[in-house]
Amino acid sequence: MSFVVVTEMNQVAYVKLHRPEVRNSFNPEMIAELTKIFTDLEARKDLRAVVLQGEGKVFCAGADLNWMKEMVNFTFEQNREDSLKLFGMFEAIAQCSLPVIGMIHGAAFGGALGLVAVCDEVIAEENTQFCFSEVKLGIAPAVISAFVNKKAVAGKVRPLMLSGVVFNSHIAQQAGLVTEVVPVGEGHTALQKVLHGYMQCGPDAVRETKKLLNDLDTLSWADQRSRTTTVIAERRASNEGQEGLKSFLEKREPAWRLN
Ligand SMILES: C/C=C/C(=O)SCCNC(=O)CCNC(=O)[C@H](O)C(C)(C)COP(=O)(O)OP(=O)(O)OC[C@H]1O[C@@H](n2cnc3c(N)ncnc32)[C@H](O)[C@@H]1OP(=O)(O)O
């Protein structure tokens, strides 16, 4: 049984969480599926972007609370093993060098905010409810904190993580979790604009930029100097870099090629 549906159209992969009867909450099977899907997508040179979305009434209700309840009977090591798999899922999405665009509607609770945090762009319908509900459940937004911390504005997101308060799309945007807030039903139009923007760019240029941004904060200053200057030297020498500069000077559209 599959809990995630993947479709492809016009060089874009659409990854849809598909457990609407439990608000797309993720269980171990869905975690394994999402991890594999994004690991496989990383190798796809024929794609330009990935859209992450949820089927039904809400985007995602976080971890499956029935599964979490079972974990009470797990040993500490088993519990930690499961959490490592969850961490691996967020990591696989974050490490995918294709731009990942989150389409958020209805609600994003608990671990769903980890999914929001690992998207490169997030379009949220304005009536979406967000909540770091973990503290209300007596647990902690622990696994997702590593990913939320990288993205969000600390001064804005900390009170939300500590209080478990429900907040709206505008607050999520101020906290740096959401890129664009749209009226209900207008997500698709906003998405088309975003995708059109990516199609104007060199496919490898986008992927190399994402890889670079992902790596920077793990590197020392000396390694950042070395890596950033290497990347630009490689990009300038690449076919894509040559075509981009040439097309600008010749006042024509670039002819990008997928490798
Ligand atoms: C490491 C990660 C940790 C975590 O993520 S902890 C989990 C954090 N998640 C939550 O706290 C969210 C819990 N869910 C809700 O608060 C609400 O749902 C929503 C606001 C997301 C949506 O509300 P509405 O649309 O009114 O749906 P509904 O009637 O509450 O739920 C429909 C069915 O879905 C089940 N369900 C909802 N969320 C979960 C979940 N996270 N795990 C397991 N089941 C869930 C319900 O129980 C119910 O089921 P039935 O139809 O049998 O009554």
Side-chain angles (χ1 to χ4, degrees):
M1 186 173 184
S2 182
F3 297 120
V4 186
V5 174
V6 184
T7 52
E8 290 179 21
M9 200 173 40
N10 300 333
Q11 300 173 344
V12 178
Y14 293 81
V15 178
K16 189 176 260 194
L17 312 180
H18 210 285
R19 285 185 89 203
E21 67 287 356
V22 283
R23 301 297 183 255
N24 300 321
S25 54
F26 43 77
N27 58 5
E29 292 81 8
M30 199 201 252
I31 290 169
E33 265 188 81
L34 274 172
T35 308
K36 176 159 175 24
I37 286 166
F38 275 90
T39 307
D40 291 349
L41 283 172
E42 169 57 14
R44 292 283 304 276
K45 301 295 177 216
D46 55 328
L47 294 173
R48 310 279 292 270
V50 185
V51 176
L52 180 62
Q53 55 198 345
E55 174 66 24
K57 204 174 154 192
V58 314
F59 169 65
C60 175
D64 183 326
L65 291 170
N66 289 309
W67 163 53
M68 295 212 74
K69 195 167 147 254
E70 282 171 28
M71 285 168 107
V72 172
N73 303 318
F74 288 11
T75 64
F76 174 81
E77 279 312 323
Q78 284 171 323
N79 220 308
R80 199 155 166 275
E81 198 59 37
D82 263 28
S83 301
L84 280 170
K85 287 183 184 154
L86 183 61
F87 194 96
M89 174 187 82
F90 294 126
E91 221 170 16
I93 302 173
Q95 294 296 324
C96 175
S97 60
L98 289 160
V100 180
I101 302 133
M103 296 290 293
I104 314 302
H105 74 286
F109 273 49
L113 279 155
L115 294 175
V116 169
V118 292
C119 289
D120 299 297
E121 282 200 59
V122 176
I123 298 168
E125 290 193 346
E126 64 186 352
N127 68 346
T128 308
Q129 292 192 311
F130 295 83
C131 181
F132 290 97
S133 55
E134 290 90 337
V135 286
K136 288 266 161 70
L137 298 165
I139 51 176
V143 172
I144 65 169
S145 64
F147 302 93
V148 171
N149 235 19
K150 267 178 185 269
K151 178 145 192 213
V153 182
K156 302 262 187 201
V157 84
R158 271 185 186 231
L160 305 171
M161 295 178 87
L162 294 176
S163 67
V165 69
V166 176
F167 55 101
N168 65 28
S169 300
H170 296 287
I171 304 277
Q173 187 176 33
Q174 286 163 23
L177 292 164
V178 162
T179 323
E180 188 177 354
V181 180
V182 295
V184 176
E186 291 188 18
H188 184 72
T189 311
L191 175 65
Q192 291 317 308
K193 273 193 203 153
V194 166
L195 292 175
H196 180 73
Y198 283 117
M199 296 301 165
Q200 311 299 303
C201 305
D204 282 347
V206 174
R207 292 182 83 142
E208 290 305 320
T209 302
K210 182 165 175 185
K211 282 189 208 165
L212 179 64
L213 294 174
N214 275 346
D215 289 351
L216 278 185
D217 55 5
T218 64
L219 298 179
S220 69
W221 185 246
D223 287 344
Q224 289 192 39
R225 184 191 297 121
S226 165
R227 180 79 200 282
T228 56
T229 50
T230 302
V231 168
I232 189 57
E234 285 170 355
R235 296 309 307 155
R236 282 184 192 139
S238 68
N239 288 339
E240 216 177 75
Q242 301 274 314
E243 169 61 9
L245 298 175
K246 222 165 117 194
S247 65
F248 177 83
L249 296 172
E250 291 172 3
K251 301 189 189 309
R252 62 171 173 82
E253 291 297 315
W256 302 127
R257 274 190 309 198
L258 286 168
N259 295 314

